[in-house]
Amino acid sequence: MKIANENIKETKELDEYSKEELVDECKMLRNQVQELNEKMNWMMGQIRLDKQKQFGSSSEKTDHEQMSLFFNEAEGAADLKAKEPEFEEITFKRKKHKGKREEDLAGLPTEVIEYKLPEEKQECPECSEKLHVMSKEVRRELVIIPAQLKVVEHVKYIYSCRNCEKNNISVPILKAQAPEPVIKGSVASASLVAGIMNNKYVNALPLNRQEQELDRYGISISKQNMANWMIYCSKNWLEPLYEAMKKVLQSQDVLFADETTVQVLKEPGRKAETNSYMWLYRTGAEAPPVVLYEYQTTRSSSHPKRFLNGFKGFLHCDGYQGYHNLSSDITIVGCLAHARRKFDECLKSLSKVEQVGSKAWEGLEFCNLLFEVESKLSESEAEERYQKRLELSKPILDAFLTWLKKMELIIAPKSALGKAVFYTIEQWKYIKNYLLDGRLEISNNRSERSIRPFVIGRGNWMFCNTPKGANASAVIYSILETAKENNLKPINYLTYIFEKMPNINFKDNPEFLNDLLPWSNKLPEDCKQQKKDSQSSAQ
């Protein structure tokens, strides 16, 4: 009886609503359900993307053939009367090589250990005649020689005249010539400082671990001492080279730039957890390889504006606005790889079923087609590349822009696809600038590759202690990364610098520095990596 009364009461309450009110309430509930579904889909996409970043491959490569099956809207996005892109197929013959192992071992010193029968056993067991060497069986091993520490005493003899000592008031004293040390009053040698720098800045081995390793050899050198050596040698010997390389960099027409965070604990007036920045500038493919880092406390656009003062030409960079108003003499070239990455992340946020034929897939396909053209033109000369891009890449870019503007009208700006589309449209005026010159590149990946060693090192040593240390690190990374780009052995090159620079008057004669720059043909052969046959390397 009670339940029946409640049903009658509810019926009366429903009867109080008009038909229009019920329709409006249904519409409101339907909108709420749609909004909740969109939020749930967004959250599921973020979960899939996070799992992909944590457990999946970081590669942005996609199945081009499978994507092309569903890539049909681009054909209607623009009226392209141009002929289908044609690529010349190039074939060549390779000389057959014995193998990469033989080439790797060829440049190393070889110690031969021979195993022979004793003289008394070199007799035939059948007829007792003398045996002869019929053949040899050779087995080759690669042996590593662990680091060895030794003390080198530099004894400088001082001479005087006994006759003058007996008969004259003044006695001439002559000293034998000896090379100046890398650090006066220190036990540090050029090779020791070079080894410590190489371990930290090339192999990402923090100073405290190097201190422990030296202790296992019975040598006590604190990480504080090693840090002092890094700062001293950076300031006195590497900074002059850094400034010389900076002049070369600023004289180029095409540069690349990027930046990343670094934590410096003891910056005056700043909390230890505050982010500072390591800026990177480098040359392009058709210039002497120069890679320069610069430490700054902020991400302000004033830093690249000051560093690039006097530079005129093209600057590749990402979408950070701090680069976009540097100078009227600088043309910004955007990075299509950043746009592609956003479409790739959008695609990975979808389920496998949703990915096929999706709008994210189509946007990613445009990017892939443009990168495919660049791959085909990688060996072309700059002028040919410029002409081919106008013929092959420009129609794809025009179709891509038409597609983007169409998507802009129908998607939510805050969705994953919306962020990819709106970012690409916002950066379009910079992205398309790579068509202006055949020396330019479609992405800023060149600078990202150069800044990666610092990011890897930062993952090991995590922070710098002082601004002096951060500045020293910037200079040292610059010298070593430029050395690597010029195919030098970093530790050998540093050793050579630290042996030479204390003994030349480069302050009054700065031209002496030209012979020490990483691309100088006057560097000793020991500093250079062994040249390998390019064709065998391609294998």
Side-chain angles (χ1 to χ4, degrees), residues 160-172:
S160 70
C161 175
R162 291 197 180 277
N163 182 59
C164 290
E165 288 175 355
K166 294 178 181 178
N167 303 313
N168 293 345
I169 297 175
S170 61
V171 178

Side-chain angles (χ1 to χ4, degrees), residues 346-399:
C346 177
L347 188 66
K348 289 175 179 176
S349 69
L350 303 176
S351 66
K352 294 293 183 182
V353 175
E354 294 171 326
Q355 286 182 7
V356 180
S358 66
K359 299 301 181 184
W361 210 330
E362 293 179 7
L364 187 59
E365 173 72 346
F366 275 113
C367 298
N368 287 341
L369 288 174
L370 291 165
F371 275 96
E372 183 179 339
V373 173
E374 291 304 301
S375 177
K376 299 289 185 180
L377 300 177
S378 60
E379 300 300 324
S380 302
E381 296 294 330
E383 182 58 31
E384 181 187 1
R385 188 182 298 116
Y386 169 73
Q387 296 296 337
K388 286 290 186 181
R389 281 173 175 171
L390 295 179
E391 177 187 343
L392 304 174
S393 299
K394 191 175 185 304
I396 301 174
L397 282 166
D398 292 340

Side-chain angles (χ1 to χ4, degrees), residues 112-221:
V112 178
I113 303 176
E114 296 182 329
Y115 304 92
K116 298 181 179 180
L117 287 174
E119 285 288 337
E120 62 273 14
K121 290 187 178 182
Q122 293 185 24
E123 293 182 355
C124 177
E126 294 292 332
C127 65
S128 300
E129 287 294 316
K130 183 72 173 179
L131 297 177
H132 71 93
V133 177
M134 180 183 70
S135 64
K136 297 179 183 179
E137 185 179 286
V138 180
R139 172 172 57 91
R140 306 185 78 186
E141 293 179 342
L142 188 63
V143 177
I144 188 170
I145 303 174
Q148 296 178 349
L149 293 173
K150 67 177 181 180
V151 176
V152 177
E153 290 187 350
H154 295 267
V155 181
K156 184 162 61 174
Y157 284 86
I158 304 171
Y159 300 85
S160 70
C161 175
R162 291 197 180 277
N163 182 59
C164 290
E165 288 175 355
K166 294 178 181 178
N167 303 313
N168 293 345
I169 297 175
S170 61
V171 178
I173 296 177
L174 301 178
K175 293 183 179 180
Q177 291 292 328
E180 292 293 325
V182 62
I183 303 174
K184 291 184 178 180
S186 171
V187 297
S189 66
S191 61
L192 179 59
V193 176
I196 294 171
M197 280 188 179
N198 184 74
N199 281 338
K200 178 173 181 180
Y201 296 100
V202 176
N203 299 327
L205 189 64
L207 295 182
N208 65 310
R209 295 184 196 170
Q210 295 194 56
E211 178 184 358
Q212 295 167 4
E213 179 67 12
L214 288 171
D215 188 61
R216 285 188 275 271
Y217 284 91
I219 303 298
S220 178
I221 301 177

